[in-house]
Amino acid sequence: MSAGRSALRMGPAELVQAAAMARRFYLEGKSKIQIAEEFGVSRFKVARVLETALERDLVRIEIRVPAELDAERSDALRARYGLRHAVVVESPADATEDALPGSPGFAGSAPTDPENLGEVAADLLGELVNEGDVLGLAWGRSTIHMAAALHQLPPCTVVQLTGVYDAGTAERGSVEAVRRAAQVSGGEAHPIYAPMLLPDPATAAALRSQTGIARAFEYFDKVTVAAVSIGSWETGISTVHDMLSDEERAHYASLGVAAEMSAHLFDAQGRRVGRDLGERCITVEADRLRRIPEVVAIAGGLRKAAAIDAVLRSGLVTSLVTDTAAADYLLSETGTAPRPALDRADPDD
């Protein structure tokens, strides 16, 4: 607290009383009724004094969050999409602020999914997960970074929601992420030792019936908090895109794919397309995702901005951890605002 020039227009008795009341209210946490009783005035008088103290610069209030968090963009993004939580972190210094998807030379102009997204998402999960919850983790670089950054979780069960990009690297991927989260929480781990994408629906169905994988699938309806990644339909930005042949990529692109999440494909309006791909994949079904109370998407970078917009419109996600580069794109969109994410509404309905 400090007395500014405008505050000096108050008389000395007023200044002293206002400072004392402000100290009681802002620093000691006393209610206006308690302050009124102490000073022998009405609570309305206390409210006027506190308001005057702010107007005349006797009291200065600062709201501080860690430097890497952008509170203003976070709140604006939460409001635009009707999210439960939106957390925006600073983009890396080498991100190109004025490059937007579709602009000349855009590809490669900005990194995707900065690693600090995983660190912030790990802290967010620490807030959202309660003892006894079932935490679901889908394949994705951002969720792997998040799991590596976990330091504290209440006792909970952890289940893998998708197969892995490459079964030969499972120890370094989503299987290890599930193990890491379970180790931190002290709960059970239910990994899936299988590739995400199979050659045909019959092979995928056979794998789903195997004991270990079937056991993990049984937990899908019990998941209370899930963490997922988002990819745009281009090389290096979607693992599913990278797993397909050139002919398959072209086919799904012709359907208007703008985004991929957990092997589910979406057009720019958040409608699911190419649903036949899911029949070949080991992944949580979209209907089950929609029933999970809290689904946190972790994705950032300008190259993913349009994809993030598409997935947020799908009604499958309730919360988002992203960066300023993606947030600025999402907030600059002038088209029709999406239905609130918390409606969990399917755009196809």
Side-chain angles (χ1 to χ4, degrees):
M1 299 180 190
S2 61
R5 289 185 178 180
S6 58
L8 295 177
R9 288 196 286 266
M10 299 174 69
E14 291 178 300
L15 277 171
V16 170
Q17 185 183 69
M21 288 184 177
R23 181 174 293 279
R24 302 289 194 282
F25 186 74
Y26 292 107
L27 299 184
E28 299 176 11
K30 291 188 175 180
S31 69
K32 293 174 184 177
I33 293 177
Q34 290 174 313
I35 297 170
E37 291 176 351
E38 178 181 349
F39 286 88
V41 298
S42 70
R43 61 185 176 89
F44 302 105
K45 168 70 172 177
V46 173
R48 287 196 298 272
V49 170
L50 293 174
E51 183 178 349
T52 300
L54 284 171
E55 291 174 349
R56 299 193 177 185
D57 205 25
L58 182 64
V59 172
R60 294 178 181 174
I61 298 176
E62 291 184 312
I63 300 174
R64 294 183 176 181
V65 296
E68 70 271 15
L69 298 183
D70 192 308
E72 185 174 351
R73 284 183 176 93
S74 298
D75 189 56
L77 203 57
R78 179 201 56 76
R80 173 170 172 76
Y81 287 92
L83 295 161
R84 183 172 290 119
H85 304 284
V87 183
V88 177
V89 305
E90 288 293 332
S91 298
D94 59 349
T96 303
E97 293 294 333
D98 58 354
L100 291 175
S103 64
F106 170 73
S109 63
T112 58
D113 290 349
E115 290 194 21
N116 61 337
L117 291 187
E119 297 171 2
V120 173
D123 290 339
L124 178 60
L125 281 190
E127 293 183 64
L128 300 180
V129 176
N130 296 307
E131 183 173 352
D133 276 350
V134 176
L135 171 62
L137 299 181
W139 159 265
R141 297 181 185 92
S142 56
T143 52
I144 291 170
H145 291 154
M146 180 273 298
L150 284 171
H151 296 293
Q152 184 175 358
L153 274 180
C156 64
T157 299
V158 186
V159 61
Q160 193 169 322
L161 296 178
T162 64
V164 298
Y165 175 40
D166 181 349
T169 61
E171 291 300 318
R172 302 188 300 275
S174 46
V175 169
E176 180 56 32
V178 168
R179 288 176 173 170
R180 166 67 182 168
Q183 180 183 38
V184 172
S185 73
E188 294 181 3
H190 294 276
I192 293 177
Y193 295 97
M196 181 187 292
L197 179 67
L198 282 304
D200 53 69
T203 304
L207 275 178
R208 291 189 202 104
S209 66
Q210 289 187 359
T211 304
I213 298 175
R215 186 178 298 115
F217 267 63
E218 289 174 358
Y219 276 90
F220 287 178
D221 287 330
K222 303 174 184 177
V223 174
T224 50
V225 180
V228 300
S229 296
I230 295 172
S232 56
W233 201 243
E234 57 179 302
T235 301
I237 314 298
S238 163
T239 52
V240 172
H241 174 281
D242 293 346
M243 285 188 281
L244 297 173
S245 67
D246 290 342
E247 183 180 354
E248 290 171 324
R249 293 169 189 165
H251 165 67
Y252 290 116
S254 72
L255 301 179
V257 175
E260 174 266 319
M261 179 183 70
S262 302
H264 300 296
L265 309 182
F266 307 88
D267 67 11
Q269 298 306 312
R271 295 183 292 259
R272 290 181 61 211
V273 296
R275 299 190 182 208
D276 61 303
L277 181 64
E279 298 175 6
R280 296 169 50 195
C281 293
I282 302 298
T283 186
V284 60
E285 300 94 326
D287 290 342
R288 279 175 156 174
L289 264 178
R290 201 180 302 280
R291 293 195 294 269
I292 296 174
E294 183 75 79
V295 179
V296 181
I298 312 164
L302 282 170
R303 293 178 69 184
K304 285 192 176 183
I308 295 170
D309 176 68
V311 171
L312 292 181
R313 292 172 182 271
S314 74
L316 296 176
V317 168
T318 60
S319 297
L320 174 69
V321 178
T322 190
D323 66 348
T324 52
D328 284 344
Y329 174 87
L330 295 169
L331 293 172
S332 70
E333 287 291 272
T334 57
T336 304
R339 295 172 66 174
L342 292 180
D343 284 356
R344 312 306 294 275
D346 189 336
D348 288 327
D349 293 341

